[in-house]
């Protein structure tokens, strides 16, 4: 921690130190989370300053969530936005919990290992992506394979448009998901998939642009899991592109998301029609 100019510059030449501005000691102790949030807000040049994420950090919060996991219900409901997901990703991402610790606890909560199988498979995917990342850190930003959409990489835009970044696309469910991302720093995995598919396939933007944006906003943003998931959606790390329609969204998001056809028109088609619209260069039914 920076305790003051004299302490900080003890090892610097006097002529260099004299050219530096006075340093303000960094506050590290607060009465409560509200005081911490107020202090951070005071350092921001945003007006009004953003509200802090509802995600509480620290080992105690992590262990509380870990104690509440239900691997059986997770397997049955994980694709639903109100399903029994664990919300442990931020704690795993930042090393508060280890994959081994989470796996062992999951096994302790079930009668037979089979009941935790799907839950542990998802931990396994995370470990696999981490190993790929460790072996080749730069490779996760490069297309693993060509797009299988009927388009070349050069056909996709490099930059994320402002309406996507701000959640003002005019597609109601997509905007709702983006708002949640921006306000909380967290998003259910299925909503992440919907956004990624919309960015890459409806708007024809390179997955790298979306992946960078997610990493800037997700508290649990992990380069390996994030980027390779975007590549799976895009089809550069899968045998076909992932896409969805409004009927699919309506079956998973619950009553709080607007899924009217009028407010989500680009999504309101059959899979067959969407394949024709999104991937016109592919043979019929290839992407379905």
């Amino acid at each position: 921690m920076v305790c003051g100019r004299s302490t900080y510059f003890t090892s610097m030449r006097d002529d260099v130190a004299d050219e530096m501005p006075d340093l303000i000691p960094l506050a590290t102790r607060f009465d409560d989370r509200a005081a911490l949030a107020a202090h951070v807000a005071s350092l921001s040049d945003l007006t009004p300053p953003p509200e802090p994420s509802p995600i509480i950090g620290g080992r105690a919060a992590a262990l509380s969530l870990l104690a509440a996991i239900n691997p059986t219900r997770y397997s049955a409901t994980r694709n639903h936005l109100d399903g029994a997901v664990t919300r442990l990703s931020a704690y795993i991402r930042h090393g508060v919990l280890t994959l081994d610790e989470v796996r062992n606890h999951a096994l302790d909560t079930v009668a037979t290992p089979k009941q935790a199988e799907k839950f542990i498979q998802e931990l396994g995917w995370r470990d696999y992506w981490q190993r790929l990342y460790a072996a080749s850190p730069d490779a996760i930003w490069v297309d693993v394979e060509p797009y299988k959409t009927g388009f070349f990489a050069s056909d996709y835009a490099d930059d994320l448009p402002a309406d996507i970044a701000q959640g003002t696309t005019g597609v109601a469910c997509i905007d709702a998901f983006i708002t949640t991302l921006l306000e909380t720093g967290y998003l259910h995995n299925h909503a992440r998939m919907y956004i990624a598919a919309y960015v890459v396939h409806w708007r024809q933007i390179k997955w790298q642009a979306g992946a960078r944006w997610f990493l800037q906003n997700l508290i649990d943003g992990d380069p390996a899991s994030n980027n390779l998931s975007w590549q799976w959606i895009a089809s550069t790390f899968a045998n076909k592109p992932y896409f969805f329609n409004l009927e699919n969204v309506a079956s998973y998001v619950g009553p709080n998301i607007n899924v009217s056809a009028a407010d989500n028109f680009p999504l309101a088609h059959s899979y067959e029609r969407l394949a024709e619209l999104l991937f016109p260069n592919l043979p019929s039914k290839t992407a379905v």
Side-chain angles (χ1 to χ4, degrees), residues 194 245-254 259:
Y194 290 145
N245 67 7
L246 188 60
E247 182 180 1
N248 180 278
V249 177
S251 65
Y252 288 109
V253 299
V259 291

Coordinates of all heavy atoms in Angstrom, one line a residue, residues 194 245-254 259:
Y194 N -27.3 -16.6 -25.5 CA -28.2 -15.8 -26.4 C -27.6 -14.6 -26.9 O -27.7 -14.2 -28.1 CB -29.5 -15.5 -25.6 CG -30.4 -16.6 -25.2 CD1 -31.1 -16.6 -24.0 CD2 -30.6 -17.7 -26.1 CE1 -32.0 -17.7 -23.7 CE2 -31.5 -18.7 -25.8 CZ -32.1 -18.7 -24.6 OH -33.0 -19.8 -24.3
N245 N -34.2 -19.4 -31.3 CA -35.3 -18.6 -31.7 C -36.1 -18.1 -30.4 O -35.8 -18.5 -29.3 CB -36.2 -19.3 -32.7 CG -37.0 -20.5 -32.1 OD1 -36.9 -20.8 -30.9 ND2 -37.7 -21.2 -33.0
L246 N -37.1 -17.3 -30.7 CA -37.9 -16.7 -29.6 C -38.6 -17.7 -28.7 O -38.7 -17.6 -27.5 CB -38.8 -15.6 -30.1 CG -39.5 -14.8 -29.1 CD1 -38.5 -14.0 -28.2 CD2 -40.5 -13.8 -29.8
E247 N -39.1 -18.7 -29.4 CA -39.8 -19.8 -28.7 C -38.8 -20.5 -27.6 O -39.2 -20.8 -26.5 CB -40.3 -20.8 -29.6 CG -41.1 -22.0 -29.0 CD -41.6 -23.0 -30.0 OE1 -41.3 -22.8 -31.2 OE2 -42.3 -23.9 -29.5
N248 N -37.6 -20.6 -28.0 CA -36.6 -21.2 -27.1 C -36.4 -20.3 -25.9 O -36.4 -20.7 -24.8 CB -35.3 -21.5 -27.8 CG -34.2 -22.1 -26.9 OD1 -33.6 -21.3 -26.2 ND2 -34.1 -23.4 -27.0
V249 N -36.2 -19.0 -26.2 CA -36.0 -18.0 -25.1 C -37.2 -18.1 -24.1 O -37.0 -18.2 -22.9 CB -35.9 -16.6 -25.7 CG1 -35.8 -15.6 -24.5 CG2 -34.7 -16.5 -26.6
A250 N -38.4 -18.1 -24.7 CA -39.6 -18.0 -23.8 C -39.7 -19.3 -22.9 O -40.3 -19.2 -21.8 CB -40.9 -18.0 -24.7
S251 N -39.2 -20.4 -23.3 CA -39.3 -21.6 -22.5 C -38.3 -21.6 -21.4 O -38.4 -22.5 -20.5 CB -39.0 -22.8 -23.4 OG -37.7 -22.9 -24.0
Y252 N -37.3 -20.7 -21.4 CA -36.3 -20.8 -20.3 C -36.2 -19.5 -19.4 O -35.6 -19.6 -18.4 CB -34.9 -21.0 -21.0 CG -34.7 -22.4 -21.5 CD1 -34.7 -22.6 -22.9 CD2 -34.6 -23.5 -20.6 CE1 -34.5 -23.9 -23.4 CE2 -34.4 -24.8 -21.1 CZ -34.4 -25.0 -22.5 OH -34.2 -26.2 -23.0
V253 N -36.7 -18.4 -19.9 CA -36.4 -17.1 -19.1 C -37.4 -16.8 -18.1 O -37.2 -16.0 -17.2 CB -36.3 -15.9 -20.1 CG1 -35.1 -16.2 -21.1 CG2 -37.6 -15.7 -20.8
G254 N -38.6 -17.3 -18.1 CA -39.6 -17.0 -17.1 C -40.4 -15.7 -17.4 O -40.2 -15.1 -18.5
V259 N -41.0 -11.4 -24.0 CA -40.8 -12.3 -25.1 C -41.9 -12.2 -26.2 O -42.1 -13.1 -27.0 CB -40.6 -13.8 -24.7 CG1 -39.3 -14.0 -23.9 CG2 -41.8 -14.2 -23.9

